Amino acid sequence: MTPEFNLIKQYFTRPTRNTTLGVGDDAALINIKKGMELAISADMLVAGTHFFADCDAYQLGWKSLAVNISDMAAMGANPKWATLAIALPEVNNAWLAEFSGGFFACADAFNVDLIGGDTTRGPLTISVQIMGEVPIGKAIKRSGAKVGDEIWVSGKLGDAALALQHMQGILTLPKDMLTSCAKALHAPQPRVALGLALRDLAHSAIDISDGLLADLGHILAQSNVGAVVELTRVPHSAYAEFTTNLQDENYRKMMLAGGDDYELCFTAPLEKHYEIERLSERIKLPLACIGHVNACHGLIVHGLNNEVLNIKDTGFDHFS
Ligand code: ADP
Ligand code: MG
């Protein structure tokens, strides 16, 4: 047996739940239920670009799968299968145990099977492909937003960006605040239950990985519509001990453009408003209506005094 084979067997082979044939053969086999189609997406994480090479391996394992599951949630797809292609600079058993521990913790939490992949030597790079099921025709696309739709956001935005700025030494967070923000950055919770429920409610959806304005911008561009967003309605943490307020330019930027939030942004017709509020209670996830879709060209954000905010350098460049 080659060392690679042992490594795969030891760290990346677990019993599967949704799979005909998993890790170990030349290819995996899956059985798609009748009436369903496959949703497929991939995300690559490169050390030094997407994460610090010396970061916590367990958290990295969790996050590398979680960000992929988040794409399934944004499509209204039920995540089922993942593959993992990983380049490792060396075989470090302690690191591999932690990494695979975090990866499988996330896989277990969302009922995803790891069904294959590739392992090679090289600069630390993690490439995950995720596959999920959605009833034919039911996937929620970026292109479906309609004039008059309300715009909604789950959870709260900006915490992950705060944690990142703390790590970069740009600001210093108080201890308890650092704990909750670091959780948002390192252990994102993909909004699968929300995505599944939105199949029958939303016209369009996206997961917020690059910041609210940039990602909402993708919906607007692909749907050929515009939007108005009210800053005061964008959900964010209220930390009394810290100057995280909407007057603060840097904080505003983190909320609107920070990225790494992995919340869902979606649009839905006005008549679904109360159903969405009831859904929020049912799945115990705050959902905030932050604005509406219009027939104009572009995105306008209203500030604290209803003034039009300058959002040029917030990653929103689709209409510039
Ligand atoms: P091949 O030479 O056919 O590519 P490999 O030795 O690369 O086979 O892989 C053997 C088996 O282990 C395959 O089923 C492959 O999908 C799986 N595999 C390889 N690396 C990983 C990994 N990091 N995670 C999960 N499965 C893996
Ligand atoms: Mg291979």
Side-chain angles (χ1 to χ4, degrees):
M1 275 200 289
T2 63
E4 276 82 5
F5 189 84
N6 279 332
L7 184 158
I8 295 162
K9 198 160 188 268
Q10 188 172 354
Y11 297 110
F12 297 117
T13 308
R14 297 267 182 100
T16 54
R17 292 155 283 209
N18 317 311
T19 306
T20 312
L21 183 65
V23 169
D25 213 313
D26 295 310
L29 298 172
I30 56 180
N31 191 355
I32 314 297
K33 279 196 222 90
K34 200 163 182 274
M36 304 296 253
E37 53 192 350
L38 262 191
I40 305 173
S41 171
D43 254 314
M44 185 145 77
L45 301 177
V46 179
T49 305
H50 302 100
F51 61 92
F52 301 110
D54 61 351
C55 75
D56 185 280
Y58 184 96
Q59 289 173 339
L60 183 62
W62 174 283
K63 189 167 177 174
S64 57
L65 182 58
V67 300
N68 278 276
I69 293 176
S70 178
D71 284 317
M72 293 292 102
M75 293 300 287
N78 197 5
K80 288 273 176 78
W81 305 281
T83 63
L84 166 67
I86 187 164
L88 300 163
E90 57 177 346
V91 176
N92 177 335
N93 287 295
W95 190 93
L96 279 163
E98 284 294 309
F99 177 85
S100 66
F103 191 97
F104 280 112
C106 187
D108 290 343
F110 293 93
N111 196 28
V112 168
D113 286 343
L114 178 62
I115 60 168
D118 202 17
T119 307
T120 177
R121 217 169 268 266
L124 183 57
T125 306
I126 298 148
S127 184
V128 174
Q129 184 181 47
I130 186 91
M131 285 150 280
E133 280 183 327
V134 59
I136 292 171
K138 281 281 186 186
I140 313 163
K141 299 179 200 154
R142 295 178 179 185
S143 57
K146 303 263 185 306
V147 172
D149 276 2
E150 290 181 316
I151 301 168
W152 295 81
V153 164
S154 67
K156 52 191 182 175
L157 305 182
D159 278 8
L162 276 169
L164 187 63
Q165 288 207 351
H166 177 97
M167 289 169 70
Q168 292 169 331
I170 297 169
L171 47 77
T172 306
L173 298 176
K175 205 168 166 227
D176 54 336
M177 190 174 161
L178 177 60
T179 307
S180 60
C181 290
K183 200 160 169 261
L185 178 65
H186 298 305
Q189 300 292 320
R191 301 310 189 184
V192 174
L194 174 60
L196 295 180
L198 289 179
R199 280 174 185 168
D200 296 314
L201 294 172
H203 279 156
S204 69
I206 193 167
D207 67 321
I208 304 176
S209 53
D210 297 329
L212 171 66
L213 299 187
D215 288 319
L216 175 58
H218 293 306
I219 287 184
L220 303 181
Q222 293 199 24
S223 304
N224 268 310
V225 291
V228 176
V229 164
E230 307 294 336
L231 176 70
T232 53
R233 294 211 244 151
V234 178
H236 60 279
S237 301
Y239 296 108
E241 71 277 46
F242 189 69
T243 57
T244 50
N245 63 63
L246 299 179
Q247 262 126 18
D248 185 275
E249 168 92 24
N250 185 34
Y251 186 57
R252 268 203 321 244
K253 252 190 207 163
M254 283 187 277
M255 276 170 58
L256 297 176
D260 258 357
D261 299 298
Y262 298 102
E263 296 295 345
L264 295 189
C265 174
F266 59 96
T267 78
L270 198 60
E271 65 262 27
K272 301 289 188 191
H273 187 99
Y274 293 105
E275 222 174 310
I276 291 170
E277 286 187 338
R278 281 203 300 275
L279 169 65
S280 170
E281 284 162 27
R282 181 158 63 79
I283 63 175
K284 296 187 175 57
L285 176 64
L287 300 175
C289 176
I290 63 166
H292 66 273
V293 174
N294 61 30
C296 299
H297 189 67
L299 171 60
I300 285 175
V301 181
H302 285 158
L304 287 182
N305 306 304
N306 224 29
E307 80 281 16
V308 174
L309 284 187
N310 178 3
I311 54 167
K312 264 221 183 83
D313 51 350
T314 50
F316 182 79
D317 55 8
H318 302 284
F319 295 95
S320 60

PDB file of all heavy atoms in Angstrom, residues 247-268:
ATOM      1  N   GLN A 247     -22.583  55.265  11.896  1.00  0.00           N
ATOM      2  CA  GLN A 247     -21.899  56.482  11.473  1.00  0.00           C
ATOM      3  C   GLN A 247     -20.445  56.199  11.097  1.00  0.00           C
ATOM      4  O   GLN A 247     -19.825  56.957  10.376  1.00  0.00           O
ATOM      5  CB  GLN A 247     -21.919  57.527  12.597  1.00  0.00           C
ATOM      6  CG  GLN A 247     -23.014  58.550  12.428  1.00  0.00           C
ATOM      7  CD  GLN A 247     -23.883  58.631  13.654  1.00  0.00           C
ATOM      8  OE1 GLN A 247     -23.476  58.177  14.731  1.00  0.00           O
ATOM      9  NE2 GLN A 247     -25.062  59.176  13.517  1.00  0.00           N
ATOM     10  N   ASP A 248     -19.944  55.097  11.630  1.00  0.00           N
ATOM     11  CA  ASP A 248     -18.543  54.762  11.406  1.00  0.00           C
ATOM     12  C   ASP A 248     -18.365  54.177  10.007  1.00  0.00           C
ATOM     13  O   ASP A 248     -18.903  53.117   9.677  1.00  0.00           O
ATOM     14  CB  ASP A 248     -18.102  53.750  12.485  1.00  0.00           C
ATOM     15  CG  ASP A 248     -16.625  53.441  12.385  1.00  0.00           C
ATOM     16  OD1 ASP A 248     -16.250  52.555  11.583  1.00  0.00           O
ATOM     17  OD2 ASP A 248     -15.856  54.095  13.096  1.00  0.00           O
ATOM     18  N   GLU A 249     -17.580  54.849   9.194  1.00  0.00           N
ATOM     19  CA  GLU A 249     -17.408  54.475   7.786  1.00  0.00           C
ATOM     20  C   GLU A 249     -16.861  53.053   7.633  1.00  0.00           C
ATOM     21  O   GLU A 249     -17.360  52.250   6.846  1.00  0.00           O
ATOM     22  CB  GLU A 249     -16.447  55.497   7.145  1.00  0.00           C
ATOM     23  CG  GLU A 249     -15.917  55.128   5.782  1.00  0.00           C
ATOM     24  CD  GLU A 249     -16.780  55.679   4.657  1.00  0.00           C
ATOM     25  OE1 GLU A 249     -17.480  56.690   4.900  1.00  0.00           O
ATOM     26  OE2 GLU A 249     -16.752  55.093   3.560  1.00  0.00           O
ATOM     27  N   ASN A 250     -15.847  52.734   8.450  1.00  0.00           N
ATOM     28  CA  ASN A 250     -15.231  51.411   8.359  1.00  0.00           C
ATOM     29  C   ASN A 250     -16.238  50.322   8.723  1.00  0.00           C
ATOM     30  O   ASN A 250     -16.320  49.285   8.070  1.00  0.00           O
ATOM     31  CB  ASN A 250     -14.003  51.350   9.281  1.00  0.00           C
ATOM     32  CG  ASN A 250     -13.255  50.019   9.136  1.00  0.00           C
ATOM     33  OD1 ASN A 250     -13.196  49.454   8.061  1.00  0.00           O
ATOM     34  ND2 ASN A 250     -12.717  49.530  10.247  1.00  0.00           N
ATOM     35  N   TYR A 251     -17.051  50.568   9.768  1.00  0.00           N
ATOM     36  CA  TYR A 251     -18.034  49.573  10.187  1.00  0.00           C
ATOM     37  C   TYR A 251     -19.117  49.379   9.124  1.00  0.00           C
ATOM     38  O   TYR A 251     -19.529  48.271   8.820  1.00  0.00           O
ATOM     39  CB  TYR A 251     -18.663  49.958  11.526  1.00  0.00           C
ATOM     40  CG  TYR A 251     -19.574  48.867  12.037  1.00  0.00           C
ATOM     41  CD1 TYR A 251     -19.091  47.583  12.237  1.00  0.00           C
ATOM     42  CD2 TYR A 251     -20.915  49.124  12.290  1.00  0.00           C
ATOM     43  CE1 TYR A 251     -19.919  46.571  12.680  1.00  0.00           C
ATOM     44  CE2 TYR A 251     -21.753  48.113  12.736  1.00  0.00           C
ATOM     45  CZ  TYR A 251     -21.247  46.838  12.926  1.00  0.00           C
ATOM     46  OH  TYR A 251     -22.073  45.846  13.351  1.00  0.00           O
ATOM     47  N   ARG A 252     -19.521  50.495   8.543  1.00  0.00           N
ATOM     48  CA  ARG A 252     -20.512  50.417   7.461  1.00  0.00           C
ATOM     49  C   ARG A 252     -19.993  49.555   6.326  1.00  0.00           C
ATOM     50  O   ARG A 252     -20.704  48.740   5.765  1.00  0.00           O
ATOM     51  CB  ARG A 252     -20.808  51.828   6.930  1.00  0.00           C
ATOM     52  CG  ARG A 252     -21.949  52.486   7.608  1.00  0.00           C
ATOM     53  CD  ARG A 252     -22.585  53.571   6.761  1.00  0.00           C
ATOM     54  NE  ARG A 252     -21.704  54.385   5.997  1.00  0.00           N
ATOM     55  CZ  ARG A 252     -21.536  55.700   6.176  1.00  0.00           C
ATOM     56  NH1 ARG A 252     -22.171  56.303   7.144  1.00  0.00           N
ATOM     57  NH2 ARG A 252     -20.743  56.378   5.391  1.00  0.00           N
ATOM     58  N   LYS A 253     -18.721  49.749   6.016  1.00  0.00           N
ATOM     59  CA  LYS A 253     -18.116  48.985   4.930  1.00  0.00           C
ATOM     60  C   LYS A 253     -18.101  47.489   5.250  1.00  0.00           C
ATOM     61  O   LYS A 253     -18.324  46.653   4.385  1.00  0.00           O
ATOM     62  CB  LYS A 253     -16.683  49.457   4.692  1.00  0.00           C
ATOM     63  CG  LYS A 253     -16.533  50.243   3.422  1.00  0.00           C
ATOM     64  CD  LYS A 253     -15.076  50.485   3.103  1.00  0.00           C
ATOM     65  CE  LYS A 253     -14.945  51.747   2.295  1.00  0.00           C
ATOM     66  NZ  LYS A 253     -13.594  52.276   2.257  1.00  0.00           N
ATOM     67  N   MET A 254     -17.816  47.161   6.505  1.00  0.00           N
ATOM     68  CA  MET A 254     -17.775  45.748   6.883  1.00  0.00           C
ATOM     69  C   MET A 254     -19.149  45.103   6.741  1.00  0.00           C
ATOM     70  O   MET A 254     -19.281  43.968   6.307  1.00  0.00           O
ATOM     71  CB  MET A 254     -17.226  45.597   8.299  1.00  0.00           C
ATOM     72  CG  MET A 254     -15.713  45.751   8.331  1.00  0.00           C
ATOM     73  SD  MET A 254     -15.032  45.370   9.929  1.00  0.00           S
ATOM     74  CE  MET A 254     -15.299  46.918  10.754  1.00  0.00           C
ATOM     75  N   MET A 255     -20.193  45.864   7.138  1.00  0.00           N
ATOM     76  CA  MET A 255     -21.561  45.344   7.007  1.00  0.00           C
ATOM     77  C   MET A 255     -21.964  45.160   5.552  1.00  0.00           C
ATOM     78  O   MET A 255     -22.568  44.173   5.167  1.00  0.00           O
ATOM     79  CB  MET A 255     -22.551  46.354   7.588  1.00  0.00           C
ATOM     80  CG  MET A 255     -22.751  46.296   9.047  1.00  0.00           C
ATOM     81  SD  MET A 255     -23.694  47.765   9.465  1.00  0.00           S
ATOM     82  CE  MET A 255     -25.160  47.552   8.458  1.00  0.00           C
ATOM     83  N   LEU A 256     -21.661  46.166   4.748  1.00  0.00           N
ATOM     84  CA  LEU A 256     -22.184  46.192   3.379  1.00  0.00           C
ATOM     85  C   LEU A 256     -21.286  45.452   2.398  1.00  0.00           C
ATOM     86  O   LEU A 256     -21.737  45.013   1.346  1.00  0.00           O
ATOM     87  CB  LEU A 256     -22.343  47.642   2.906  1.00  0.00           C
ATOM     88  CG  LEU A 256     -23.337  48.501   3.688  1.00  0.00           C
ATOM     89  CD1 LEU A 256     -23.314  49.933   3.173  1.00  0.00           C
ATOM     90  CD2 LEU A 256     -24.744  47.929   3.589  1.00  0.00           C
ATOM     91  N   ALA A 257     -19.995  45.353   2.724  1.00  0.00           N
ATOM     92  CA  ALA A 257     -19.053  44.840   1.731  1.00  0.00           C
ATOM     93  C   ALA A 257     -18.000  43.915   2.326  1.00  0.00           C
ATOM     94  O   ALA A 257     -17.063  43.522   1.636  1.00  0.00           O
ATOM     95  CB  ALA A 257     -18.368  46.014   1.037  1.00  0.00           C
ATOM     96  N   GLY A 258     -18.147  43.545   3.588  1.00  0.00           N
ATOM     97  CA  GLY A 258     -17.075  42.823   4.276  1.00  0.00           C
ATOM     98  C   GLY A 258     -16.806  41.434   3.719  1.00  0.00           C
ATOM     99  O   GLY A 258     -15.673  41.032   3.527  1.00  0.00           O
ATOM    100  N   GLY A 259     -17.850  40.704   3.441  1.00  0.00           N
ATOM    101  CA  GLY A 259     -17.674  39.353   2.915  1.00  0.00           C
ATOM    102  C   GLY A 259     -17.496  38.301   3.983  1.00  0.00           C
ATOM    103  O   GLY A 259     -17.407  38.603   5.184  1.00  0.00           O
ATOM    104  N   ASP A 260     -17.472  37.026   3.533  1.00  0.00           N
ATOM    105  CA  ASP A 260     -17.325  35.874   4.416  1.00  0.00           C
ATOM    106  C   ASP A 260     -18.495  35.707   5.388  1.00  0.00           C
ATOM    107  O   ASP A 260     -18.360  35.031   6.409  1.00  0.00           O
ATOM    108  CB  ASP A 260     -16.002  35.956   5.206  1.00  0.00           C
ATOM    109  CG  ASP A 260     -14.941  35.029   4.617  1.00  0.00           C
ATOM    110  OD1 ASP A 260     -15.251  34.300   3.654  1.00  0.00           O
ATOM    111  OD2 ASP A 260     -13.808  35.038   5.117  1.00  0.00           O
ATOM    112  N   ASP A 261     -19.639  36.313   5.068  1.00  0.00           N
ATOM    113  CA  ASP A 261     -20.788  36.209   5.983  1.00  0.00           C
ATOM    114  C   ASP A 261     -21.498  34.865   5.845  1.00  0.00           C
ATOM    115  O   ASP A 261     -21.988  34.312   6.822  1.00  0.00           O
ATOM    116  CB  ASP A 261     -21.798  37.326   5.692  1.00  0.00           C
ATOM    117  CG  ASP A 261     -21.218  38.709   5.896  1.00  0.00           C
ATOM    118  OD1 ASP A 261     -20.835  39.005   7.046  1.00  0.00           O
ATOM    119  OD2 ASP A 261     -21.148  39.483   4.931  1.00  0.00           O
ATOM    120  N   TYR A 262     -21.605  34.379   4.602  1.00  0.00           N
ATOM    121  CA  TYR A 262     -22.322  33.142   4.291  1.00  0.00           C
ATOM    122  C   TYR A 262     -23.755  33.154   4.809  1.00  0.00           C
ATOM    123  O   TYR A 262     -24.299  32.131   5.201  1.00  0.00           O
ATOM    124  CB  TYR A 262     -21.529  31.902   4.719  1.00  0.00           C
ATOM    125  CG  TYR A 262     -20.245  31.878   3.945  1.00  0.00           C
ATOM    126  CD1 TYR A 262     -19.041  32.276   4.528  1.00  0.00           C
ATOM    127  CD2 TYR A 262     -20.242  31.584   2.580  1.00  0.00           C
ATOM    128  CE1 TYR A 262     -17.879  32.343   3.770  1.00  0.00           C
ATOM    129  CE2 TYR A 262     -19.089  31.656   1.833  1.00  0.00           C
ATOM    130  CZ  TYR A 262     -17.919  32.037   2.433  1.00  0.00           C
ATOM    131  OH  TYR A 262     -16.774  32.118   1.684  1.00  0.00           O
ATOM    132  N   GLU A 263     -24.354  34.338   4.808  1.00  0.00           N
ATOM    133  CA  GLU A 263     -25.801  34.440   4.983  1.00  0.00           C
ATOM    134  C   GLU A 263     -26.427  34.403   3.586  1.00  0.00           C
ATOM    135  O   GLU A 263     -25.729  34.498   2.580  1.00  0.00           O
ATOM    136  CB  GLU A 263     -26.158  35.742   5.698  1.00  0.00           C
ATOM    137  CG  GLU A 263     -25.623  35.829   7.126  1.00  0.00           C
ATOM    138  CD  GLU A 263     -26.254  34.792   8.060  1.00  0.00           C
ATOM    139  OE1 GLU A 263     -27.279  34.197   7.699  1.00  0.00           O
ATOM    140  OE2 GLU A 263     -25.683  34.562   9.148  1.00  0.00           O
ATOM    141  N   LEU A 264     -27.761  34.250   3.535  1.00  0.00           N
ATOM    142  CA  LEU A 264     -28.431  34.295   2.243  1.00  0.00           C
ATOM    143  C   LEU A 264     -29.060  35.666   2.032  1.00  0.00           C
ATOM    144  O   LEU A 264     -29.598  36.266   2.962  1.00  0.00           O
ATOM    145  CB  LEU A 264     -29.524  33.223   2.142  1.00  0.00           C
ATOM    146  CG  LEU A 264     -29.076  31.765   2.164  1.00  0.00           C
ATOM    147  CD1 LEU A 264     -30.261  30.844   1.836  1.00  0.00           C
ATOM    148  CD2 LEU A 264     -27.927  31.505   1.216  1.00  0.00           C
ATOM    149  N   CYS A 265     -28.958  36.161   0.812  1.00  0.00           N
ATOM    150  CA  CYS A 265     -29.698  37.339   0.376  1.00  0.00           C
ATOM    151  C   CYS A 265     -30.675  36.840  -0.686  1.00  0.00           C
ATOM    152  O   CYS A 265     -30.273  36.115  -1.605  1.00  0.00           O
ATOM    153  CB  CYS A 265     -28.739  38.372  -0.216  1.00  0.00           C
ATOM    154  SG  CYS A 265     -29.581  39.802  -0.941  1.00  0.00           S
ATOM    155  N   PHE A 266     -31.954  37.181  -0.525  1.00  0.00           N
ATOM    156  CA  PHE A 266     -32.931  36.691  -1.503  1.00  0.00           C
ATOM    157  C   PHE A 266     -34.009  37.736  -1.755  1.00  0.00           C
ATOM    158  O   PHE A 266     -34.192  38.662  -0.959  1.00  0.00           O
ATOM    159  CB  PHE A 266     -33.553  35.356  -1.050  1.00  0.00           C
ATOM    160  CG  PHE A 266     -34.266  35.407   0.284  1.00  0.00           C
ATOM    161  CD1 PHE A 266     -35.644  35.591   0.347  1.00  0.00           C
ATOM    162  CD2 PHE A 266     -33.565  35.250   1.466  1.00  0.00           C
ATOM    163  CE1 PHE A 266     -36.304  35.617   1.574  1.00  0.00           C
ATOM    164  CE2 PHE A 266     -34.215  35.282   2.701  1.00  0.00           C
ATOM    165  CZ  PHE A 266     -35.582  35.467   2.756  1.00  0.00           C
ATOM    166  N   THR A 267     -34.682  37.597  -2.869  1.00  0.00           N
ATOM    167  CA  THR A 267     -35.808  38.491  -3.148  1.00  0.00           C
ATOM    168  C   THR A 267     -37.071  37.644  -3.242  1.00  0.00           C
ATOM    169  O   THR A 267     -37.047  36.495  -3.695  1.00  0.00           O
ATOM    170  CB  THR A 267     -35.613  39.283  -4.457  1.00  0.00           C
ATOM    171  OG1 THR A 267     -35.902  38.438  -5.580  1.00  0.00           O
ATOM    172  CG2 THR A 267     -34.194  39.843  -4.573  1.00  0.00           C
ATOM    173  N   ALA A 268     -38.168  38.229  -2.786  1.00  0.00           N
ATOM    174  CA  ALA A 268     -39.443  37.504  -2.773  1.00  0.00           C
ATOM    175  C   ALA A 268     -40.578  38.501  -2.975  1.00  0.00           C
ATOM    176  O   ALA A 268     -40.459  39.668  -2.586  1.00  0.00           O
ATOM    177  CB  ALA A 268     -39.625  36.764  -1.444  1.00  0.00           C
TER     178      ALA A 268
END
